Amino acid sequence: MNKTPSEAKALMKEIIPMVKNSPHKMMVAPSYVCLGAVAEMIKGTNIQLAAQDVSAHTEGAYTGEVSVSMLKDIGVDAVILGHSERRQYHGETDEMINKKLNLCLENGLTAIVCAGETLEEREAGRAFDVVQGQLDVSLKNIDKKFASKIVIAYEPVWAIGTGKTASSDQAEEVHAHIRKVLGGYFGADAAAQIVIQYGGSVKPDNVKELMSMPNIDGALVGGASLKADSFAALTSF
């Protein structure tokens, strides 16, 4: 919940020319009220647009909700589902994420499905089990044909907004486990092609090392994406 629409436009005005030659696939996910303005600004650029959440309902008497069709109409390409903050502060469950995932996939949107353990769960040696348990429900009964429209974001809760970062080896071992789990759902070939992002205090000074790991395909970035120079540095390695 950062940036007013005018602030978001000012930030994008800085970012667009700074990243025009980046070799990486880039996506921004502003708040709902900023999506329309940002969508207009990034038309014809190498930046895609994501929303931070979506309703589990298609339409109707759900005051305050935003539907898939509303997002599609303004040019949204992808939706983040099950971010740890949605789980923590808004009671989001894996079952709800599964409903939202089905809606996104059926409507042609890419879905970035988040999963991750708390510090207590990691210290208890349960990181693999927690992440797999979240994915088992979030991705339940998803047809293999949709595998290419799914992105997984591993975000250890203990490393979000805390300044702590999982070491590259810690992150890689969970990413490798996620890849194996995805193979069980969709087959090894499809799983090998699914993008698995790391999210947890990713910054310009650690992004290169994290992205050098075999199973870390990208980053879901929080605070470090809110300044143009930092955003550009993240995409220039």
Side-chain angles (χ1 to χ4, degrees):
M1 195 172 66
N2 292 288
K3 305 298 181 184
T4 64
S6 58
E7 290 170 341
K9 288 169 68 175
L11 178 61
M12 290 310 303
K13 187 175 181 179
E14 286 188 82
I15 285 175
I16 291 169
M18 294 175 76
V19 302
K20 65 180 181 181
N21 296 317
S22 173
H24 305 296
K25 182 176 180 179
M26 294 167 291
M27 184 174 282
V28 292
S31 64
Y32 284 140
V33 295
C34 301
L35 283 170
V38 173
E40 289 298 315
M41 293 187 72
I42 63 176
K43 281 182 179 178
T45 73
N46 56 343
I47 302 172
Q48 293 183 297
L49 185 65
Q52 297 177 12
D53 188 34
V54 70
S55 176
H57 306 283
T58 54
E59 63 180 348
Y62 301 101
T63 300
E65 293 282 87
V66 176
S67 71
V68 166
S69 61
M70 294 173 186
L71 297 179
K72 283 188 69 176
D73 194 63
I74 57 173
V76 168
D77 302 294
V79 180
I80 300 170
L81 301 177
H83 191 283
S84 62
E85 291 159 0
R86 298 293 310 172
R87 295 172 184 268
Q88 181 178 355
Y89 302 127
H90 301 281
E92 190 117 328
T93 65
D94 296 317
E95 290 79 8
M96 290 169 63
I97 295 162
N98 181 254
K99 289 181 181 179
K100 294 179 180 186
L101 176 59
N102 275 285
L103 275 177
C104 288
L105 297 176
E106 289 166 3
N107 285 274
L109 294 180
T110 294
I112 302 168
V113 181
C114 300
E117 80 284 3
T118 64
L119 182 59
E120 182 181 13
E121 289 164 341
R122 169 161 281 275
E123 291 180 340
R126 297 183 56 233
F128 283 13
D129 291 341
V130 169
V131 170
Q132 182 169 347
Q134 291 171 341
L135 295 177
D136 281 345
V137 179
S138 297
L139 274 62
K140 186 177 181 179
N141 295 328
I142 298 299
D143 195 293
K144 180 180 177 179
K145 69 182 180 181
F146 291 123
S148 63
K149 299 293 286 184
I150 296 171
V151 172
I152 304 299
Y154 168 57
E155 44 157 20
V157 180
W158 50 272
I160 297 173
T162 62
K164 296 180 180 179
T165 309
S167 70
S168 54
D169 289 336
Q170 285 176 317
E172 168 61 19
E173 68 177 2
V174 180
H175 278 242
H177 182 66
I178 291 172
R179 187 88 61 193
K180 181 180 178 181
V181 169
L182 294 174
Y185 305 152
F186 305 119
D189 290 343
Q193 300 303 313
I194 292 176
V195 170
I196 307 177
Q197 301 176 329
Y198 172 72
S201 297
V202 178
K203 301 180 181 69
D205 61 1
N206 63 25
V207 66
K208 186 175 182 179
E209 180 182 354
L210 286 165
M211 296 307 114
S212 70
M213 295 292 106
N215 288 287
I216 301 180
D217 305 313
L220 184 67
V221 184
S225 66
L226 295 174
K227 293 183 178 180
D229 56 351
S230 178
F231 189 107
L234 285 162
T235 67
S236 62
F237 66 92

